[in-house]
Every structure is written in structure tokens, then in C-alpha cells.
Amino acid sequence: MGKKQIVIVSQVDEIHADEIILQLNAMGHEPIRLNSDDIPTALMASLSLENHTAGWAGSMTILTNGRRIDVEAIRSIWWWRPGAFRLPADLSVQEREFARDEIEHMFQGIWAALPCHWVSHPEHIRRASWKADQLLQATRLGFDIPRSLMTMNPDAARSFCESCVGKRALYKVLSDPFLAATTVAEKYPEHMPEYGVASTTLITSADFSMLDGVRNAPCLFQEYLPRVLDIRVTVIGDDLFAAEIHSQDHEETKIDWRYSDANIVYRKIALPAEVAERCMALVRHYNLHYCTLDLFLTPDGRYVFTEASPYGQFLFVEERVPELRMTEALANYLARGAQD
């Protein structure tokens, strides 16, 4: 069986998956989309393994559209933000947790066993998601980073903020900026989560009295550094796309530009060769084939690394800078992986 199938593992209403499928269709391919929402109620999977064979055989059929994934025919997989499984509503809490664990075990085992082209493998994505390691690897590669502290100690947090230039620091969440609302909705449907977003927050001496809350959960603090502009870097395979973001033109975007409706100017930018190579080296360190990186440029000309995201979005950048043809590049990269 020829390995020709391009599989996109995502979730319902993921617009990036929608756009890549449209692009692949326009190129003459027929990608198959597997949404985590379809597992298990809208998916029929049966896989077998025999003695002395090369690997697992069998298929997964998506019942809502009849599309079939033949595991022996998969050549490339785009792993893009899959969510929770949609389990039958009549299961008890314990039955739901057991079913979720069994589904997770089966599928993670299959993903680990598949000899296909990944963009990117879920285990590599998971490892690359830890901010503590990102910052360490970035500085080892030669990036400037802000002085950083992770702590659950209020006194250590106050001491660090006091030591920052101008006694100004930034607070950032380590995990979910949406404050686990999606997780609560998925795992505890009987509870209504509080929806909100924790943007990067400027901490000054006037806020030091509130740092006792650090005791409840680890917090990341970084020294505030002035910036000229922010930079969004997207790496797809061996290609690098960079856009400068004029965040300092608006008061509400000077600290965090990501969640604002302000009309920010975006432009294509050519990074210095050594900065571009550091970006590529960080992505390769984690064995990723897709990743975004956030940098900023200081008034004295330093390119400072803040974080990387294996799930970083790119469409909002491409909409503002159409010459950064990232949708086309990612579709081509998946298609190349699907060739014999």
C-alpha cells in the first residue's frame, strides 16, 4: 500500500486546519481530518499486529463522513491543537475517566509507532512547551533573554521585582492564559468556568503588596526591558518567516499585543543572519517542524527572546502581511512529506 495519505489531527472549529485543507485541496490533494471531538462516538477504529510484521495494520473510519484513515498509508500528519475526546454523556465520572485513559493510551501508542512525517510529533510538542527549558536553551544558543524568576515564594518575588531596573517586572502565566477554562468545561461539564485571559502584566512597586498570592501557584516574573517593536517568527520546515509588530504605537499594546483590537502595523522583516540561525537552532533542538517564536528589539539593537510556541498561530500575521505565504508553505511541506 502506497503511503499517500495526509492526515490533519485537530478539533472542530479550528480555522487553521480549515485553511490548510482548502490549500491542499487546491493543490490536488485530499487530506483527511481527524477531530478529537469525533473520538470515540464518531470514530470506528480497529488495528491489528501480527508476529514478525513491520507495524500495526488497520483503519480508522470517521462515521460522520465515511472517510477512512489507513494507518499503513499515512505519510504525513499535521498535529494541530487537538482537544478533548467527546465521550458519551451517559457515562459515570469514573467510567468517563477510565474511557479517556484507555483512548489516550491506544492513540498515543499508535502515534508513537507510526513511521510517518510529523508536523510535529506530539511528544516533541509537549517537550518544547515548557517555558523554563525554552529560556535556558535560548540563552545557551546565544539569545538575550530578560532576567527571569519562577517562584512560589512571595518574598523572593518581591525581592526580584525590587531588583529590576526601575522596579518594573512582567508577570506571565506558565501554562494556559485562558486560566484553565477549557479544561474545566471539558472535564467538569456540570460546572460553569469563568472565562477570561491572563495577559502579560506589568508589576511596579505599587503592586508589591499583592504578591502574597504567589504562594498559591508558581509564577513567572521577568525584568521589564524597553522595546522598539515586537517580532513574530514562524518556522515551517527549513523556511523562516518574520514580521515586525509595531506594538509600541499604542498604549494598550506596549506590554502585550496579543489580545488587543488595536490597529497595529505589521511588516515583513529580514532578521540578521545570526538571529535567524538561533531561531532555527532552537526549533531543531526540539525536533519540531513547525513553531513560532516571539522576540522583541530593544532601543540598543538587541533581539531578545521571550517564548516559543509549537502551536503558535500564523493566520493573523499572514492576513496583515500577505507576502508571508505561510499557508502555502505549510501545505507544500505536508505534501512533500506525502510523496513517495
Side-chain angles (χ1 to χ4, degrees):
M1 181 182 295
K3 293 190 174 185
K4 300 178 180 179
Q5 290 188 341
I6 303 171
V7 177
I8 296 174
V9 181
S10 189
Q11 58 182 303
V12 172
D13 298 329
E14 222 331 306
I15 61 171
H16 286 70
D18 297 339
E19 291 299 318
I20 291 298
I21 288 170
L22 288 173
Q23 183 69 39
L24 285 166
N25 286 336
M27 294 163 55
H29 300 282
E30 296 183 359
I32 301 175
R33 179 172 182 163
L34 174 60
N35 289 319
S36 52
D37 317 62
D38 290 333
I39 304 171
T41 55
L43 184 77
M44 187 63 68
S46 185
L47 307 167
S48 63
L49 182 66
E50 303 290 340
N51 267 331
H52 312 299
T53 54
W56 285 88
S59 64
M60 309 176 204
T61 301
I62 303 166
L63 303 179
T64 52
N65 58 23
R67 301 294 302 278
R68 190 175 82 172
I69 300 170
D70 295 305
V71 295
E72 297 168 283
I74 299 173
R75 198 65 180 280
S76 63
I77 297 178
W78 184 33
W79 188 268
W80 184 252
R81 299 182 169 214
F85 308 125
R86 184 172 293 172
L87 297 164
D90 58 352
L91 297 182
S92 68
V93 171
Q94 185 169 347
E95 289 171 334
R96 198 161 61 227
E97 289 300 317
F98 176 71
R100 184 181 289 111
D101 288 345
E102 292 292 281
I103 295 166
E104 184 79 14
H105 193 101
M106 172 184 166
F107 278 92
Q108 291 300 333
I110 291 300
W111 302 140
L114 284 179
C116 63
H117 180 64
W118 283 90
V119 185
S120 298
H121 196 283
E123 286 301 316
H124 298 159
I125 289 173
R126 184 173 184 272
R127 179 170 171 254
S129 298
W130 309 125
K131 286 186 173 66
D133 192 59
Q134 289 179 13
L135 290 165
L136 177 61
Q137 299 306 326
T139 192
R140 284 177 172 173
L141 290 169
F143 272 115
D144 284 330
I145 62 167
R147 289 178 55 230
S148 302
L149 172 74
M150 287 190 301
T151 186
M152 297 176 66
N153 184 330
D155 291 334
R158 277 188 282 269
S159 178
F160 176 82
C161 294
E162 286 269 5
S163 73
C164 291
V165 175
K167 298 183 179 181
R168 304 175 83 194
L170 299 177
Y171 161 71
K172 299 179 178 180
V173 297
L174 288 165
S175 56
D176 181 7
F178 299 101
L179 306 174
T182 301
T183 301
V184 170
E186 291 170 347
K187 294 196 70 173
Y188 310 101
E190 65 277 14
H191 295 287
M192 178 61 69
E194 296 181 13
Y195 288 94
V197 62
S199 57
T200 300
T201 303
L202 179 65
I203 304 294
T204 67
S205 55
D207 306 305
F208 289 179
S209 62
M210 301 182 348
L211 293 176
D212 286 340
V214 168
R215 188 67 188 89
N216 297 323
C219 296
L220 171 63
F221 297 94
Q222 294 186 318
E223 185 168 36
Y224 172 79
L225 298 175
R227 61 190 68 188
V228 175
L229 48 80
D230 284 275
I231 299 166
R232 181 63 163 237
V233 176
T234 304
V235 173
I236 300 170
D238 294 325
D239 296 324
L240 183 147
F241 305 84
E244 61 182 32
I245 302 168
H246 291 250
S247 57
Q248 304 308 292
D249 293 349
H250 303 271
E251 192 63 35
E252 66 267 35
T253 61
K254 285 185 176 181
I255 301 301
D256 193 340
W257 51 267
R258 296 171 298 169
Y259 307 111
S260 172
D261 293 328
N263 187 22
I264 309 174
V265 173
Y266 287 64
R267 293 195 181 98
K268 181 179 178 179
I269 185 175
L271 295 175
E274 66 274 12
V275 176
E277 182 50 42
R278 287 178 198 136
C279 292
M280 298 299 294
L282 183 63
V283 174
R284 292 181 187 126
H285 170 79
Y286 290 112
N287 293 312
L288 298 175
H289 299 283
Y290 174 90
C291 190
T292 63
L293 302 90
D294 290 330
L295 319 175
F296 64 84
L297 179 65
T298 64
D300 59 355
R302 291 184 296 142
Y303 291 81
V304 180
F305 171 88
T306 59
E307 65 180 282
S309 175
Y311 284 145
Q313 300 183 26
F314 62 89
L315 284 179
F316 75 97
V317 178
E318 189 172 10
E319 287 170 358
R320 293 166 173 84
V321 192
E323 59 264 39
L324 296 178
R325 301 172 66 173
M326 293 177 282
T327 301
E328 181 179 329
L330 181 52
N332 278 325
Y333 191 60
L334 288 166
R336 286 197 298 272
Q339 291 176 347
D340 293 331

